[in-house]
Amino acid sequence: MPSGIRMARDLAALAGRLLVAEQMQLPLGTRLALTDGILRQMDRYTASAVHEARQAGAGWEDVAAAARLTAAQAGARWDTPALRVLFPSLQAAERPRAMQQHLADALAYLQIGSGVSVDEAAERAGLQMPYVLQVLEGVCVPSWPELYTLACVFDGRPEDLRVLWESALGSVHPPRLPAQGAAGYLAAALRGLHLAAGSPTMRRLSKQALLPPECLTEVLEGRHTPPWNTTARLVRALGGRVEDAEPLWQAVLQAAVGLHGTDSSRQLGCEHCRVAAQDGP
């Protein structure tokens, strides 16, 4: 399910295109096609917002009150079968495109939070504005220097986007690092996924990851690395791919074993992490 922030950003992009089309007096058919796209995107945003509210614990009565509907009407409009129509499951061939969109979502979240306009960002990064728009919309993957510069322009940490960038290109290659560096690299990857998911609160994320909010904060800050089952569950909760995260986690384990011996795998994470790992991935 795409995040609400992604749906809202796409909606804003469509509205911007309609404004340009109107200013340039493009053919009526072009403007009406954009209008149809905006109406469809509004439906998708609404469904995504409802889905996120439901995941956060809202009942159908709460949704109905916000939408000025009855609970039965809200359930019928946004239940699972209806969501499947709006958001068909990704096919295997579409997964690389999905990871490209994750990178765009994270960068767009930084851009919105920074308050830096697209044209200002393009000027400061030395890039063309149409190209920056394509990057923010997930149409293309920038080079690492371009992404690094844009992340800095948007007051973000470029290292948080590194693994998302590698994943968008098709593969993740963890560097050889000491134990603390390897753990920090994995934490940065998790923070990137957190950005791409729209930075959900720790309280909301804890319900899916089965970890206390304070523990999640420490994990994202790189203070400790959970066992693999717990890490995999967190990656899934953030909409990431476990196959991208596993080599990063293995690098942490290998570095820890080299430093502390073969019992290191039993000591990864805090007590909450180790208990959660017993519940499976």
Side-chain angles (χ1 to χ4, degrees), residues 29-47:
T30 300
R31 286 176 281 159
L32 292 182
L34 284 168
T35 302
D36 287 341
I38 289 173
L39 292 174
R40 288 194 299 271
Q41 190 64 20
M42 288 175 64
D43 288 339
R44 288 165 61 86
Y45 167 74
T46 304

Side-chain angles (χ1 to χ4, degrees), residues 1-272:
M1 167 70 69
S3 65
I5 189 68
R6 171 184 164 186
M7 294 292 98
R9 179 179 55 77
D10 290 349
L11 183 58
L14 283 170
R17 291 174 188 170
L18 179 60
L19 176 60
V20 171
E22 180 64 28
Q23 290 172 336
M24 297 179 65
Q25 281 298 290
L26 295 182
L28 179 61
T30 300
R31 286 176 281 159
L32 292 182
L34 284 168
T35 302
D36 287 341
I38 289 173
L39 292 174
R40 288 194 299 271
Q41 190 64 20
M42 288 175 64
D43 288 339
R44 288 165 61 86
Y45 167 74
T46 304
S48 181
V50 169
H51 177 74
E52 290 181 345
R54 293 273 294 158
Q55 283 194 319
W60 284 121
E61 293 79 6
D62 302 313
V63 174
R68 298 181 181 179
L69 299 170
T70 67
Q73 289 172 328
R77 181 174 298 185
W78 294 301
D79 61 5
T80 300
L83 294 179
R84 286 174 181 163
V85 173
L86 287 170
F87 305 100
S89 299
L90 289 173
Q91 301 299 317
E94 295 175 318
R95 287 175 186 167
R97 177 70 176 82
M99 301 318 297
Q100 186 172 321
Q101 189 63 56
H102 276 326
L103 174 63
D105 289 345
L107 192 62
Y109 186 86
L110 289 176
Q111 186 256 326
I112 293 171
S114 70
V116 177
S117 65
V118 176
D119 54 349
E120 180 185 350
E123 181 179 356
R124 290 169 59 181
L127 301 170
Q128 296 294 317
M129 188 179 72
Y131 176 70
V132 175
L133 278 172
Q134 289 182 325
V135 170
L136 291 172
E137 292 174 7
V139 175
C140 60
V141 179
S143 68
W144 175 244
E146 291 169 341
L147 181 61
Y148 188 100
T149 302
L150 286 171
C152 291
V153 168
F154 297 144
D155 298 324
R157 292 185 285 192
E159 64 270 20
D160 292 355
L161 304 181
R162 177 74 193 196
V163 173
L164 286 176
W165 177 75
E166 291 183 355
S167 183
L169 292 177
S171 62
V172 174
H173 305 286
R176 290 185 175 274
L177 295 168
Q180 186 174 2
Y185 198 80
L186 174 60
L190 293 173
R191 290 196 299 270
L193 289 174
H194 187 243
L195 285 173
S199 291
T201 64
M202 295 299 103
R203 182 177 297 277
R204 174 183 162 195
L205 188 56
S206 70
K207 296 179 181 179
Q208 297 172 281
L210 305 183
L211 287 173
E214 59 273 16
C215 178
L216 283 170
T217 298
E218 292 189 353
V219 169
L220 291 180
E221 290 177 353
R223 296 179 186 173
H224 64 253
T225 300
W228 171 241
N229 285 351
T230 307
T231 301
R233 187 186 300 113
L234 175 57
V235 169
R236 292 191 186 96
L238 291 170
R241 299 193 305 183
V242 293
E243 57 264 38
D244 288 342
E246 187 169 13
L248 307 182
W249 185 89
Q250 289 291 345
V252 175
L253 177 61
Q254 291 172 11
V257 167
L259 188 63
H260 300 295
T262 55
D263 286 339
S264 298
S265 61
R266 299 179 182 178
Q267 303 302 319
L268 285 177
C270 64
E271 180 180 355
H272 294 298

